[in-house]
């Protein structure tokens, strides 16, 4: 008999605890200001309804609504991260609904914008670049800044069907300009693709046997805004120049899709550079054809100024 008695006692003890806890929970729920307000606004609510929804009301009181107190969305410890509850009455019954908090809304918007900027092998600081951070006082850069702002203002017109070919010395912020522009385009819901040319060439060569290569190239052809960073710094191969770069540029030229470039070479210098392949051949005509296409999809803009890497 002993074990049964013991477990009975245990059950009674726990049951008592349960009752106590229930009363405590009810009191704390009813003293919550938002619950009080709900009962004040809806005097028709009965005690039975209240008791029926006590767990729901408890859930409401246990969830944080004070989003200002969180430094970031990650700190949110609500059941659904970034969602805060509110109570309402529908058809005479108490209901609970969850809304996105302002931090979550902001975060979602930021993510959506980030998803509009695709990149291959680009450094992180470049992806956070912003036009507002470009130093306008640097006179040598002001033409380039004007051209970028002008471009943004002309979006939707024929002018914007051509991108910009930025050229100038190492470290002046050419790549930074591309990042800032990509983020500015994302603000306008236009997606772009930034590619660092030297890595791109290496990756294309490495994945030659890969079936996905054609799919990737199709993507580069069709993305609304393509940005090729550091053209001319890649190791030269006639095959890449003619079959990959040539075909991407050809397509974008026909479809009037803009391409942005950065380079240490002016177009004239790039022409010479492209004419010499890694086998030492000189291919002036083929290089000229690429330059012609670059001119069709972009406008040449020099970018000078101090070296920001020092
Ligand atoms: P480039 O492509 O011309 O060689 P980068 O764009 O890589 O030069 O810029 C060189 C360095 O200076 C990078 O670290 C970049 O983040 C920084 N930088 C460039 N422009 C700015 C700017 N306007 N404000 C802050 N940092 C900048
Ligand atoms: Mg660069």
């Amino acid at each position: 008999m002993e074990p049964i008695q013991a477990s009975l006692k245990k059950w009674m003890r726990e049951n008592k605890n349960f009752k106590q806890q229930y009363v405590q929970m009810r009191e704390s729920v009813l003293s919550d200001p938002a619950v009080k307000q709900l009962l004040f606004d809806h005097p028709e609510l009965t005690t039975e309804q209240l008791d029926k929804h006590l767990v729901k009301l408890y859930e409401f009181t246990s969830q944080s609504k004070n989003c200002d107190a969180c430094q970031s969305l990650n700190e949110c410890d609500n059941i659904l991260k970034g969602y805060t509850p509110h109570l309402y009455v529908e058809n005479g019954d108490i209901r609970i609904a969850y809304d996105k908090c302002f931090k979550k809304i902001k975060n979602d918007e930021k993510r959506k914008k980030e998803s509009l900027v695709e990149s291959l092998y680009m450094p992180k600081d470049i992806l956070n670049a912003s036009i507002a951070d470009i130093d306008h006082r640097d006179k040598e850069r002001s033409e380039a800044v004007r051209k970028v702002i002008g471009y943004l203002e002309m979006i939707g017109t024929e002018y914007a069907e051509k991108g910009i070919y930025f050229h100038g010395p190492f470290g002046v912020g050419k790549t930074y300009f591309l990042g800032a522009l990509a983020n500015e385009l994302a603000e306008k819901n236009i997606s772009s693709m930034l590619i660092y040319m030297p890595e791109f060439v290496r990756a294309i060569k490495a994945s030659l046997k890969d079936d996905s290569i054609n799919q990737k190239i199709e993507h580069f052809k069709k993305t609304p805004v393509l940005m090729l960073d550091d053209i001319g710094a890649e190791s030269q191969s006639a095959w890449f120049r003619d079959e990959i770069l040539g075909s991407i540029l050809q397509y974008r030229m026909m479809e009037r899709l803009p391409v942005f470039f950065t380079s240490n070479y002016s177009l004239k210098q790039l022409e010479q550079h492209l004419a010499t392949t890694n086998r030492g051949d000189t291919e002036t005509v083929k290089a000229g054809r690429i330059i012609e296409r670059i001119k069709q999809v972009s406008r040449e803009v020099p970018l000078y100024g101090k070296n920001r890497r020092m």
Side-chain angles (χ1 to χ4, degrees):
M1 289 312 273
E2 196 52 40
I4 292 174
Q5 263 183 4
S7 57
L8 194 63
K9 267 189 190 151
K10 187 168 170 265
W11 184 85
M12 278 164 66
R13 203 169 49 240
E14 279 173 2
N15 200 30
K16 198 167 152 236
N17 279 348
F18 173 75
K19 264 191 188 152
Q20 256 175 4
Q21 273 175 11
Y22 183 83
V23 171
Q24 267 172 10
M25 176 170 113
R26 198 169 188 280
E27 271 171 13
S28 99
V29 164
L30 293 178
S31 64
D32 183 278
V35 174
K36 275 187 182 164
Q37 186 67 42
L38 185 83
L39 297 180
F40 181 78
D41 293 342
H42 295 279
E44 75 277 12
L45 292 171
T46 63
T47 311
E48 284 91 68
Q49 276 174 317
L50 255 182
D51 285 329
K52 186 174 123 196
H53 293 301
L54 202 63
V55 174
K56 199 183 286 179
L57 291 168
Y58 180 72
E59 176 187 317
F60 170 80
T61 59
S62 70
Q63 297 295 292
S64 164
K65 290 128 215 146
N66 180 17
C67 302
D68 285 331
C70 297
Q71 288 291 327
S72 73
L73 188 61
N74 276 342
E75 275 177 35
C76 175
D77 46 19
N78 281 357
I79 305 174
L80 288 165
K81 218 184 242 315
Y83 287 83
T84 51
H86 76 265
L87 292 172
Y88 65 102
V89 172
E90 194 178 66
N91 300 328
D93 221 354
I94 302 169
R95 304 205 188 274
I96 185 169
Y98 280 85
D99 309 304
K100 277 186 193 178
C101 74
F102 69 91
K103 286 206 167 80
K104 167 90 177 145
I105 293 174
K106 256 189 158 166
N107 197 275
D108 285 358
E109 277 172 5
K110 188 166 168 261
R111 283 187 153 203
K112 189 174 166 236
K113 276 190 199 128
E114 278 168 1
S115 75
L116 288 171
V117 181
E118 280 185 88
S119 67
L120 270 181
Y121 324 108
M122 296 298 288
K124 252 217 159 86
D125 66 329
I126 294 300
L127 298 176
N128 291 324
S130 84
I131 292 273
D133 288 342
I134 291 179
D135 192 351
H136 294 252
R137 287 159 307 174
D138 193 337
K139 278 219 173 67
E140 290 177 285
R141 289 145 64 97
S142 59
E143 192 205 341
V145 175
R146 259 203 314 279
K147 282 275 164 30
V148 168
I149 293 172
Y151 181 85
L152 290 166
E153 281 169 358
M154 296 299 261
I155 280 170
T157 71
E158 217 173 278
Y159 181 90
E161 289 169 0
K162 277 192 180 190
I164 301 173
Y165 180 96
F166 292 110
H167 65 91
F170 180 76
V172 292
K174 300 182 297 297
T175 303
Y176 192 91
F177 265 55
L178 290 189
L181 193 63
N183 288 328
E184 220 48 51
L185 291 169
E187 290 284 339
K188 294 177 188 284
N189 263 323
I190 300 171
S191 54
S192 54
M193 172 100 221
L194 274 100
I195 308 171
Y196 180 55
M197 283 299 277
E199 277 303 324
F200 177 52
V201 174
R202 221 165 311 174
I204 289 271
K205 283 184 181 163
S207 61
L208 266 181
K209 292 179 215 97
D210 191 339
D211 283 343
S212 69
I213 191 165
N214 285 329
Q215 229 175 321
K216 281 184 197 145
I217 289 169
E218 280 305 295
H219 186 53
F220 303 142
K221 283 181 177 172
K222 293 177 181 166
T223 184
V225 176
L226 181 67
M227 300 187 172
L228 300 178
D229 187 37
D230 240 342
I231 187 166
E234 70 276 15
S235 73
Q236 285 305 312
S237 96
W239 170 79
F240 181 85
R241 181 196 61 203
D242 302 331
E243 302 304 320
I244 309 295
L245 183 62
S247 91
I248 293 172
L249 294 179
Q250 170 76 13
Y251 183 89
R252 298 189 68 89
M253 183 180 92
M254 304 297 282
E255 297 296 317
R256 297 166 184 267
L257 294 167
V259 186
F260 287 80
F261 302 87
T262 75
S263 183
N264 288 345
Y265 298 115
S266 68
L267 277 174
K268 205 153 188 54
Q269 291 166 330
L270 184 71
E271 185 164 6
Q272 283 170 3
H273 181 74
L274 289 177
T276 318
T277 68
N278 53 3
R279 277 178 295 159
D281 306 335
T282 309
E283 296 180 317
T284 334
V285 177
K286 285 180 174 171
R289 201 174 290 153
I290 297 285
I291 298 297
E292 224 15 75
R293 289 176 193 163
I294 294 179
K295 285 182 179 165
Q296 293 291 325
V297 295
S298 68
R299 297 181 180 86
E300 191 174 3
V301 173
L303 180 53
Y304 290 88
K306 64 173 189 222
N307 186 344
R308 289 174 182 264
R309 285 180 207 255
M310 294 194 289

